Amino acid sequence: MANNTADHPPGNSVADGNQEGDFGITVMDLRDLMELRSGEAVTKIADSYGDVQGLCRRLKTSPIEGLSGNPVDLEKRHTAFGKNFIPPKKPKSFLALVWEALQDVTLIILEIAAVISLGLSFYHPPGGDSELCGETASGVEDEGEAQAGWIEGAAILFSVAIVVLVTAFNDWSKEKQFRGLQSRIEQEQKFTVIRKGQVIQIPVSELVTGDIAQIKYGDLLPADGILIQGNDLKIDESSLTGESDQVRKSLEKDPMLLSGTHVMEGSGRMVVSAVGLNSQTGIIFTLLGAGDGDEEKKIKKGKRWGGDKSKTQDGIALEIQPLKSEVESEEKEPEVEVKQVKRVQITKKEKSVLQGKLTKLAVLIGKAGLIMSAVTVVILILYFVIDTFGVQGRPWLKECTPIYIQYFVKFFIIGVTVLVVAVPEGLPLAVTISLAYSVKKMMKDNNLVRHLDACETMGNATTICSDKTGTLTMNRMTVVQAYLGDTHYKKVPEPDVIKPSTLEVLVNSIAINSAYTTKILSPAKEGGLPRHVGNKTECSLLGFVLELKRDYQPIRDEIPEEKLYKVYTFNSSRKSMSTVLKNTDGSGFRMYSKGASEIVLRKCSRILDTNGEPRIFKPKDRDEMVKVVIEPMACDGLRTICVAYRDFPAEAGEPNWDNEADILNELTCICVVGIEDPVRPEVPDAILKCQRAGITVRMVTGDNINTARAII
């Protein structure tokens, strides 16, 4: 079905939020589209909408300028396509937590013993003729003991009630705090979108279908989308498919981007096609029982239409393929279809190590007490029967039966007493209260503990491994030194001391060879520091450009992302990023590169000198530069980044861009910068406290060894 573009606004203008009529596509159309993969998806988009631009027109959005941000339009999209919010599973009530706490084996033994003891304390059978029934028939128990017999059972029940209430309240308060923390995290989590032609960051919950979102290396996609433009984009879809291989995304082969997946390489733009419960993550959450009621409805619906006849059981969740729409299910005849249904065992509530050991001990004690109480009852009954009917030779008289029953009941009570005394009712109470006290203490230190066993685990910790950037340091990077034009500047140089040609290529390299989502914004409040958005290392380089009295934005406006010919994004193996541009006059290509100085310098064969002219850069020159420039910077705690470029002449023809070994070589070094990331002021005292407590703190970083030593 060809897409009629005349009925929709042009693809490069801001969508009007007050347009009348419904959207040109329904939520079920989008759900069906997002279930397709690779070639099937490309074919479906081409047949139904012409291309991704046509799909954007159906959604009344602009691929270039995004939505208008009109509240009326946003509300209409919420109504038509839903909100980007997956309702959390209904929290357990306090009574449900009480019931969970009652399932403890030790407490069950105590409960049974207490109920039996309490019940028997009120049992008083009628008496008979004491002389005929034996001399010891009277006074089976004195009056005081008979009146106070209930105290023992009541005391046990009271002890059990305290344990249960303390445990349930502790679980309830933890759950409440974690839900508050979760909602706070969700509110603070933001994503980059384009609205009114401006790149802004909005909370993930405010994303709507039709938004144009910018994605980059390291992002976790909060909604489903379809790729509009991408640069060497690779996605980790293992959270949905279980496959560990990264999936390359492109407009021609596979433009489908799914929520809950991670961007491992590259960058790009996508149009949001499904949010919340309609996204792939939302569908899976619904099927796996995000809400118990919803899960039952889904399963009943599947049975009604001849779908899976699998059931959910306690502790078992069924992993099912996403269902098609109800309309499709009604139209099709029920088919005999064999589906692979995986049973995923849900882990039950874990006990702490101490609680587990004490439960085993209590069970052993309970078994031993039960055996001893049974032996005691048997011995007492045998002694009574032999003494009364054997030694004394008394006959069993009908009127004496209640008296004999009273004797047997007393023997049983004695046996229960032995069992109750054997089982330590104070043990679970002491453990629960001590662990709850530990949790409260940790909460005062802003340590939220979800599982009680974490108290014991953390108490046994001997080593803490900490990331450096953003954890030990403030993650606010700034260029403070530079090696430029054969001169090592201990502070950022003035632009007039740099050759114009060198300054031009440096500014262009940094502006173009950085993610366009990375930028420096004006301070949020007057007198504050500029806001760094995106990759912090790239922010420091953009700040370096601003300190050189130049602006990177006009360069980006002149060369938008669509004009970038090839992008080699940063990853852990390359440790560098490169961007290729086709020269405007058609005279070949130019590639800008930046990355770890030790890596990039190895690939440089030239370096710009004082006059801005490239000169030969030999291995011995590199070793000298490492010794004189890079190592001193690293010893000052600075991260060193090398900026370089390479020209590909037109007469040599277009290179094979897939052969990275040849492409990322023969570079010309522009400069090496030293980036400072200050240590957080509270870190030294925290490390000293850990060391006094016998805990070794280890720093984990990919920086130069000398930089790491300087931080330590």
Side-chain angles (χ1 to χ4, degrees), residues 1 75 184 226 235 237 241 291 295 317 325 334 361 371 389 425 430 482 490 505 526 560 629 632 646 685 695 707:
M1 181 174 65
E75 186 58 37
R184 182 177 167 187
I226 299 173
I235 304 291
E237 294 184 348
T241 64
E295 187 181 7
S325 64
L361 177 62
I371 294 171
F389 303 111
E425 64 270 13
K490 293 293 186 178
V505 70
E526 190 175 351
V629 178
R646 179 182 178 182
D685 289 340
I695 299 172
T707 306

Side-chain angles (χ1 to χ4, degrees), residues 374-404:
V375 170
T376 302
V377 172
V378 170
I379 290 174
L380 289 173
I381 291 174
L382 288 176
Y383 175 79
F384 173 77
V385 170
I386 293 171
D387 182 63
T388 303
F389 303 111
V391 177
Q392 298 182 25
R394 295 181 181 278
W396 185 292
L397 300 175
K398 185 178 180 181
E399 58 270 21
C400 292
T401 300
I403 296 295
Y404 296 149

